[in-house]
Each structure stands twice: as C-alpha cells, then as structure tokens.
Amino acid sequence: MTTLELPSPRLEEWRWADMDALRAAVATAPHATGVDPAALFLDLHGPRLCFIDGVFEPAHSRPGPIQVGRIVPGAAHPLGSLAEGEGWALTLDKQAAVTGIQIVHLGSGGESHVPARIVLGVDAVASVVETYAGAGWANRLTTALLAKGARLMRSVRLLQDEGFVSIRDEADVGEAASYVSIFLGAGAMGSRIDGALTLTGKGAFAEMGGALLTRGSQRQECAVSVRHEETDGSSRQIWRAVAADKSAVSLAARVEVARGAQKTDGEQSLRGLLLDRSATVNLKPELEIFADDVKCAHGATVGELDRNALFYLQSRGVDEARATAMLTRAFVADALARIGDEGVREAFEADADKWLENSLSRWESEMVVSAMPPASPEQRGALLTQPSRLAQPSGKGEGSQ
C-alpha cells in the first residue's frame, strides 16, 4: 500500500483521522507481543475464530457454522475497500440462532486486512464479540444484511497495546429488524470506527455507540452515519469519550431521514469528558431531515468532572484520584449498558476498569507529588501550572428536531 491511497485530512470527513499513526503501524516490523490468543476469549460457549496477522489460525478456533474463505466485498470506502481476502461469513436461515460467536484479532506488526459478511434470514438471531489485541494496523470491513425481524448484537473491544485499528461497518436493516453494535476503545492504539447503517424496512432499529478512552498522545475517533429510508424506524447513537493528558477523541454522528421516512425516532448523544485541560474532545452531531413527522434529538457536551461531586466523595473519605476514577466510570457506564449479554457487558466493564486503574495510578502519583513540600521555587512553579480537573462541565449543545 502506498500513502497516496490513504484518505487526506483535507477532506471534511477525514479531518480528525490520525493517518500518521496508521502509517507508523504499517511500518512496524513484526515482533513478539506476549499476548496469548486463548486469554482473549471470553467464557462463552459459541463458535470461536482467531486471526493472527490477518490469517485464520485453526489451533485457536472452532468455527461451527461460520465459513472461512476468500471474500471480495467490493466496498467503496477508502479503507474498507482494502479489506479483501481471507475472512469469515455467517449465513443464518429463517428463525435460526447462533449466539456467543467470538472473533479474536491478534497482530504482531505490519498490516492485516480481514473482511466479514453476516446475512440473517427472517427472524434469525446472532450475537458476535470481537477483540483486537497486539500491534500493527488491523483493517476490518463487516457487511451485514438483516431480513425481516432479524436481530444482530455486536460487541467490539479495542485492546491493542500499539498500532492502529480501522473498522468499517455497513449494514442493511430490514423490516422490524434490529442491528446493535457497541464499541469499547480501551487500548493504547489509534483507531477509526466508521459506520454506514441503512434502515430499509418499516419499523427497523439500528444502534451504534460505545466508549473511547485515550491518554498520552493517543487519538481515537468514530464517524457514523444512519439513514432512515422507511417509516417507523428508530436509531440510537450513544457515544462517550474520555481524554487525558494530550490525547484526543473525535466523535461524528449523522442521521439522515429520507422524504418518505415518516414517524422516524432518532437519538444522538455525544458526550466528552476531559481529565486534563491539555486533552481534546471533538464532537460533530448532524441531522438531515426531509420528512415532516419525525422525532429526532441530538446532544453534544464536553466538560470536566463536576467539582461538587468530587467534593462530596472527598468529604466521605474518598481521595481525589479514586473519586475521579469513580465518576469517570459512571460517565461511560450508560454506553456499555447497551450490551445485552450480562457476561459480555461485565467483561467490557472490566476492561474499562483496567484502563481507569492504570490512570488512577498516575493520578495517585500526581497527588503524592502535589502533597509533598516544595523543595525549590522551580518545583513550586511546576505544581502551580498543573491544571485542575474540578471545573464544571459546560452542559451545552443539547437540541432536538
């Protein structure tokens, strides 16, 4: 792949994309990551697939009804179109059900591309959990076609220690069908999550959301578009962003309501939490409505932790670092609560807690340093220039149509 094939930040829809991190991930030489693929699977009884550097690994897999083979998806997306080759496909007939499917992606460096295709028949049910770990650039494209009454639940966790993960979801949601895809970005990699969901049937439901957690100089982003083409459709985009240090999270969510899509109910909720004033959260909600009988609401807020809530916890004996972690966990909880399976939801919450515990260690170290008597005027100046996290959130940006 050449750099000329990558999207340019001059394009509006790619202006926040960290293509430099993607290029660096591609240039990373394969190396041992110390990650055991078996440790990445949850305690579920469904089919399992493991891809190592984009290559199917039978030793850690039990495919069951899932087919593994070459897929040529033909996507027009600039990154998704590169995901061509060996991938996986799930096709379920009418009223069939396969739950607890797990797909593990482990990279050691360089680039890997894996396409996936999901086709659910009338009233079919499937649930999929995907996990990304290791290093390098993991590029994935998932296309889904849901017939009348079909239900698909996807839970995706990004845990790579380094590198970049790019995900493109394209879904066609039929009459009374339900498509839900929830993400957790709790690794140290850069990421780009793209979604194009089209509700083509009456009474269809689609949801895409989750929580992206960043620190250091890390950058993560999502760009999701939901299009309503039929009546009585509903959609939800619930995203939470937490940024510490000099990191950045960018959330772009778009809802399009076609002229004939009356009785549409669309909700967007984009919220960002800054743990340091040097961090950045970009939010971009969009509504494009051509029908006149709809209910569409959008909210976009960025702020810091509530100082009153912090004071309350500290007055009950909770130190500032622990109080910060508790309030941050509560902030992202509603996004992860959308995961239907309790065991999967608890695993995702544990991953978020691990991120918070690692951050807590840093905050506690800062608290110890700030409590020590200054040994010099230079140290006093350094402490005084540290930004406070205790300002009120802005609370602006809520709206509805």
Side-chain angles (χ1 to χ4, degrees):
M1 186 190 69
T2 68
T3 56
L4 294 176
E5 296 172 337
L6 293 178
S8 169
R10 296 178 181 177
L11 299 173
E12 174 63 23
E13 60 269 32
W14 293 90
R15 62 176 176 146
W16 291 322
D18 192 1
M19 292 295 96
D20 288 339
L22 190 156
R23 293 186 184 93
V26 172
T28 302
H31 59 281
T33 61
V35 179
D36 180 8
L40 300 173
F41 289 101
L42 305 182
D43 187 19
L44 303 176
H45 298 294
R48 295 182 174 185
L49 272 69
C50 180
F51 289 87
I52 298 181
D53 291 328
V55 179
F56 177 62
E57 176 53 65
H60 293 93
S61 303
R62 51 171 194 247
I66 301 176
Q67 298 84 41
V68 177
R70 181 172 177 80
I71 296 177
V72 183
H77 187 265
L79 297 183
S81 62
L82 300 175
E84 178 181 322
E86 187 177 47
W88 61 275
L90 173 67
T91 302
L92 296 183
D93 296 328
K94 180 179 180 180
Q95 297 183 338
V98 179
T99 59
I101 300 169
Q102 295 189 75
I103 315 293
V104 163
H105 306 271
L106 178 60
S108 66
E111 60 184 288
S112 65
H113 308 273
V114 176
R117 180 182 294 121
I118 301 173
V119 180
L120 302 185
V122 175
D123 293 327
V125 177
S127 64
V128 181
V129 180
E130 292 191 59
T131 301
Y132 293 80
W137 176 31
N139 183 45
R140 304 294 183 263
L141 169 69
T142 300
T143 58
L145 178 62
L146 277 60
K148 180 179 179 180
R151 302 193 303 277
L152 174 63
M153 173 80 221
R154 291 182 65 237
S155 306
V156 183
R157 53 181 184 164
L158 313 182
L159 306 178
Q160 281 195 197
D161 294 324
E162 57 182 291
F164 196 91
V165 176
S166 56
I167 294 174
R168 170 69 172 181
D169 284 2
E170 298 180 356
D172 184 313
V173 188
E175 180 181 352
S178 173
Y179 175 95
V180 179
S181 193
I182 305 298
F183 294 81
L184 172 64
M189 74 289 128
S191 74
R192 163 88 180 196
I193 299 168
D194 271 287
L197 314 181
T198 305
L199 283 66
T200 58
K202 180 179 179 179
F205 176 81
E207 176 171 357
M208 193 167 180
L212 302 182
L213 318 177
T214 61
R215 58 175 171 245
S217 58
Q218 182 183 11
R219 291 164 62 183
Q220 295 198 67
E221 70 165 326
C222 78
V224 179
S225 176
V226 178
R227 178 173 172 80
H228 292 261
E229 294 187 347
E230 272 292 345
T231 60
D232 299 301
S234 301
S235 64
R236 301 287 181 268
Q237 297 183 68
I238 312 296
W239 288 95
R240 300 293 178 259
V242 179
D245 304 316
K246 296 182 179 181
S247 65
V249 183
S250 302
L251 308 176
R254 178 180 177 87
V255 173
E256 303 174 15
V257 181
R259 193 172 303 279
Q262 305 292 353
K263 305 295 184 181
T264 288
D265 182 357
E267 178 187 355
Q268 295 175 318
S269 177
L270 312 180
R271 296 181 182 176
L273 178 61
L274 300 173
L275 298 181
D276 293 286
R277 293 183 180 177
S278 54
T280 301
V281 172
N282 302 303
L283 305 180
K284 185 183 179 184
E286 292 185 86
L287 296 174
E288 186 174 291
I289 302 172
F290 294 99
D292 55 13
D293 185 8
V294 302
K295 183 174 69 173
C296 291
H298 64 87
T301 60
V302 180
E304 297 173 301
L305 290 176
D306 184 350
R307 70 171 70 191
N308 292 326
L310 280 168
F311 176 78
Y312 176 84
L313 290 174
Q314 289 178 274
S315 68
R316 266 62 180 174
V318 180
D319 63 78
E320 182 180 350
R322 182 67 59 178
T324 299
M326 291 172 63
L327 293 175
T328 304
R329 188 186 194 281
F331 177 79
V332 303
D334 62 336
L336 300 182
R338 321 294 286 189
I339 299 174
D341 185 281
E342 182 179 0
V344 176
R345 183 171 63 253
E346 290 177 350
F348 276 56
E349 290 172 347
D351 292 327
D353 286 343
K354 183 178 179 181
W355 186 93
L356 289 169
E357 287 298 322
N358 291 335
S359 299
L360 176 63
S361 300
R362 178 179 63 84
W363 296 330
E364 288 177 334
S365 298
E366 290 179 356
M367 295 302 105
V368 170
V369 171
S370 63
M372 294 173 60
S376 67
E378 290 77 16
Q379 289 179 328
R380 284 196 296 271
L383 290 172
L384 289 173
T385 57
Q386 290 184 355
S388 170
R389 302 188 189 92
L390 307 183
Q392 294 275 8
S394 64
K396 299 179 181 179
E398 303 295 332
S400 63
Q401 179 73 31

